Structure formats: C-alpha cells, structure tokens
Amino acid sequence: MGQIGGSLDAFIGAVHRRAAGFDNEIELVCGVFSQSPEKSKATGHALYLPENRVYDSFEQMILQEKELPEGERMDFVSIVTPNHMHFPPAKMALENGFHVICDKPMTLNLQQAKDLAQLVKQSGLVFGLTHNYTGYPMVKEARDMIKNGKLGKLRKVVVEYPQGWLSRAEENNDYKQAIWRTDPAKSGAAGAMGDIGTHAENLAEYVTGLKITELCADLTTFVPGRQLDDDGNVLLRFEGGAKGVLHASQISNGEENALKLYVYGELGGLEWHQMEPNTLYYKTQEGQRLIRTNVGEMSPSAKAHLRMPAGHPEGFFEAFANIYRNFAFAVKAHMEGREADSLYDFPSVEDGIRGLAFIDTVLASNVSEQKWVKFVE
C-alpha cells in the first residue's frame, strides 16, 4: 500500500493504516502524507519508511513507484485526504495501473464520480470505498436476515446519524477537521449531509438491498456564518414501496457518533446502534430477540467478518479492517486472474456514485418548491 494523506496529526489516516495492517495482508511501503514535504517526511520517519519511499507529491509517488520492479513497488493507493483531493490522485493512480481504495464521499462532485467510474471500468482495476460501517458483523447479519425474508416485505427504514462536535463554530478555532469540512471548496456542496448523511444513506441501502427512488429534504445551517449545512432531515421513498426517514446532524449537542438503523417489515423489525455494534435487535409482535456477535448460529457473511470470541468487544477498527482485508483479497484475485469471493464484499465505485447522487438530490430538494425529487444518478 502507498498512502496519500494521513500525516501524524490526521485522525482518520492513522485509522486507515492500522486497519490495513490488522490481518498482515497489507504492508505500507510508501506514501505522501501531507502537502508539506517536511510533514510528509516526518510522518514517513515515524512510520519507519525508507526516506526514498516518502514523496513530496502524489504525482511523484505514482510515477516513481511505477518505475520500480513488480513485487517491490506499491500495488495500490489508499487516499485519505480531504474530499477535494480524492479525484486527482485516484484518476492518476488508475491511469498508471494501480488499484485504489478511497475515503468517502468518493469525489468532490457527481461528475467526477462518474468520470472515475468510467476509468475503473476501462482499467479493469479494483476500486474500494471506505464506507466502513458496512464492515460490522451485525450489519452483515442484518442484511442477510432481510435478504432471507425474516422481515417479510419491507415497509419502513429509519436511519439517523447525530453528532454534536460542530455545535459551535469550531472552524474559527484553528480546528483542522472543522476548517476543511465546513469549506465548500474542500468538502463539496454539502456539509453534514455530505460528511455523515452519505454514511446513513449507504448503510440504509446496503442493509435493506433497496435503492432510494425519491426524497424530500430540509437542510439547515444553525451556526451563524457557517457556509454549509450542519443539520438535515430527509423523507425517503424506496423501490418496492418502503418509506423512510434519514436524519444527519453535527449540531446535536452531546452526541458522539450515534449512527442507528431501524428496519421494519411485515413480519418483524431490526435495530442496530453503531456505538453498541455487537448487538442486533430482532423484534416481532410475539417478542424480541437479542442477537450477539459469535453467539449461536450466524450467517456465513457475518461469520466471515467476526474476529473475537463472544463477549469480547470488537468495533470501529475491526470493521475498518474488514473493508481493507476484503479489498486486499480482491486485489490478490485480480493479480492471479481469478474472480474474487463475493462473501468478502466492500463498497465499490457504484456506491460512490450513489453517495454523490444522494448529495445532489438532497440539495435539489432543499431548494425546490416541489420538495419531492427523483433520485437520479
């Protein structure tokens, strides 16, 4: 793996590195960790990389790595930069024969996402997107239960992702994460809805297997002077007739990362909380069942993503690691000229397009007199 972004003072870059190293399937061999050459070199030194494999720019890294012998050069690029710097290195990496795994949202806008998808198709290379919440075993279990008809025909989907960290104007307090995430030039056209609303959208579609067909959105910027939305409420219509509600907020005071999903069908319902990820609730009119990781019989998909014996907590890092491990399996399969095992799935470039289309549709609905807007990629 070669990494772009993720210097020593970047939170999510370190998460990606640790997750990638969980299973000894991936080795970090090079990187450009910051736009500052000094900061990039300091990060490379702290990670024990050779000086000649720590680069000043992603262009330099891609071109020089390409010249190295096969088996020595990087096999894929991990992109963990702010949103505006996802597309340029992803495009260049694919054009030069390197697989790519990228943080979400995939690109700054929908047109870039479509262009990237075309490049992935033309190159035949592997592309992964780190919607890491799909890596949780209980999310896999919920998806399989729905796929196997345990809930019957789906009627209602409720997904919420409240945070409170932007309740104040942290972007004015030299807080790096707040500065770029509230800047439309670096974050894109949406704030909270692009940052965490896309996670909620992706989780709802992944678990239910249903795509959103229409939505009605109401976005608000509560903090004075802020350029992007910090709170949003969206009504959803899914294929097959199911209805839904999506709520994403970064001004919900006191909340941490309280992502929750509720799915209700004719026969029963499911409930999952990201901050208590080892538990899945299965509910019917006859009673409730609490499903715990590695207790009793579980689906093959859930089993393939379990890491610990029952009663030993596994969470955010493990879910992230599942995405990277599965991506590594797909890259290996590509190298060996065989089909990857679909049991080890991960979000794809198509999921990235859905995320950017979701943002565009929410923004269109928010300013529309009509309100209900068809979801169009």
Side-chain angles (χ1 to χ4, degrees):
M1 177 173 88
Q3 190 172 54
I4 299 173
S7 64
L8 291 177
D9 60 354
F11 158 68
I12 204 66
V15 172
H16 282 258
R17 284 193 294 271
R18 290 167 187 153
F22 248 59
D23 297 284
N24 296 317
E25 294 287 343
I26 296 168
E27 178 188 4
L28 178 69
V29 296
C30 65
V32 50
F33 303 102
S34 171
Q35 290 181 316
S36 160
E38 294 76 19
K39 190 181 285 188
S40 185
K41 284 179 169 55
T43 303
H45 179 75
L47 296 172
Y48 304 102
L49 289 176
E51 287 186 14
N52 66 337
R53 301 293 290 277
V54 182
Y55 299 97
D56 292 342
S57 68
F58 73 82
E59 294 95 341
Q60 182 191 43
M61 183 179 85
I62 290 168
L63 292 177
Q64 291 194 19
E65 287 291 314
K66 187 179 179 181
E67 295 303 312
L68 294 175
E70 191 173 351
E72 183 181 339
R73 65 177 176 237
M74 66 179 183
D75 295 306
F76 75 90
V77 170
S78 169
I79 301 171
V80 298
T81 59
N83 302 348
H84 72 297
M85 284 302 295
H86 288 178
F87 179 70
K91 178 178 183 289
M92 186 174 180
L94 291 166
E95 289 173 339
N96 284 275
F98 294 108
H99 307 281
V100 175
I101 188 167
C102 182
D103 215 346
K104 45 58 58 193
M106 187 167 72
T107 55
L108 193 65
N109 56 57
L110 182 57
Q111 186 56 55
Q112 286 183 348
K114 291 178 177 179
D115 291 345
L116 199 59
Q118 189 61 32
L119 272 172
V120 172
K121 183 178 179 181
Q122 289 170 355
S123 68
L125 295 167
V126 181
F127 185 95
L129 192 67
T130 53
H131 273 301
N132 56 295
Y133 300 114
T134 64
Y136 281 106
M138 289 295 95
V139 168
K140 306 286 187 188
E141 183 72 5
R143 186 186 192 216
D144 276 22
M145 289 176 70
I146 290 170
K147 188 177 180 180
N148 293 329
K150 293 289 285 185
L151 270 59
K153 183 177 172 62
L154 297 188
R155 291 172 168 172
K156 181 143 189 178
V157 181
V158 179
V159 59
E160 57 184 66
Y161 199 159
Q163 297 176 337
W165 72 289
L166 286 177
S167 294
R168 295 186 289 263
E170 299 292 351
E171 57 267 41
N172 298 333
N173 297 327
D174 199 30
Y175 187 174
K176 182 181 175 182
Q177 290 294 321
I179 291 170
W180 80 258
R181 290 180 194 276
T182 58
D183 180 356
K186 294 181 177 179
S187 184
M193 200 52 68
D195 190 17
I196 57 176
T198 51
H199 269 312
E201 167 265 329
N202 177 260
L203 184 67
E205 291 198 337
Y206 179 78
V207 171
T208 63
L210 302 178
K211 289 188 174 183
I212 299 165
T213 58
E214 289 182 281
L215 58 79
C216 175
D218 177 35
L219 304 182
T220 306
T221 305
F222 279 103
V223 175
R226 181 165 287 161
Q227 297 183 72
L228 296 172
D229 59 279
D230 48 29
D231 182 83
N233 305 288
V234 187
L235 297 176
L236 306 171
R237 290 174 179 165
F238 292 86
E239 59 189 6
K243 302 295 178 70
V245 180
L246 186 153
H247 150 58
S249 174
Q250 292 177 317
I251 50 83
S252 295
N253 246 311
E255 296 289 357
E256 299 170 39
N257 279 280
L259 174 62
K260 300 182 183 74
L261 177 69
Y262 308 83
V263 184
Y264 304 102
E266 290 177 336
L267 305 179
L270 290 173
E271 178 181 341
W272 180 78
H273 299 191
Q274 194 271 151
M275 289 175 64
E276 295 289 342
N278 293 347
T279 301
L280 177 66
Y281 299 93
Y282 173 49
K283 310 173 183 183
T284 70
Q285 288 300 100
E286 286 69 48
Q288 298 188 16
R289 176 186 164 208
L290 184 147
I291 305 171
R292 295 279 294 165
T293 53
N294 237 340
V295 177
E297 189 60 29
M298 303 193 74
S299 68
S301 181
K303 285 180 182 177
H305 294 85
L306 289 167
R307 294 176 174 273
M308 301 291 287
H312 294 75
E314 55 180 299
F316 189 75
F317 277 114
E318 289 86 348
F320 233 114
N322 285 335
I323 301 295
Y324 267 94
R325 180 200 63 181
N326 296 358
F327 176 80
F329 287 169
V331 170
K332 277 188 174 183
H334 185 279
M335 290 173 165
E336 295 167 7
R338 58 180 172 82
E339 287 291 319
D341 188 341
S342 61
L343 187 65
Y344 300 98
D345 65 323
F346 54 90
S348 67
V349 71
E350 286 77 21
D351 294 296
I353 288 178
R354 293 289 297 174
L356 272 299
F358 172 75
I359 291 170
D360 276 10
T361 312
V362 164
L363 293 170
S365 173
N366 184 58
V367 298
S368 170
E369 298 270 334
Q370 182 181 343
K371 299 309 289 181
W372 282 103
V373 174
K374 287 191 181 300
F375 194 110
V376 180
E377 292 179 19

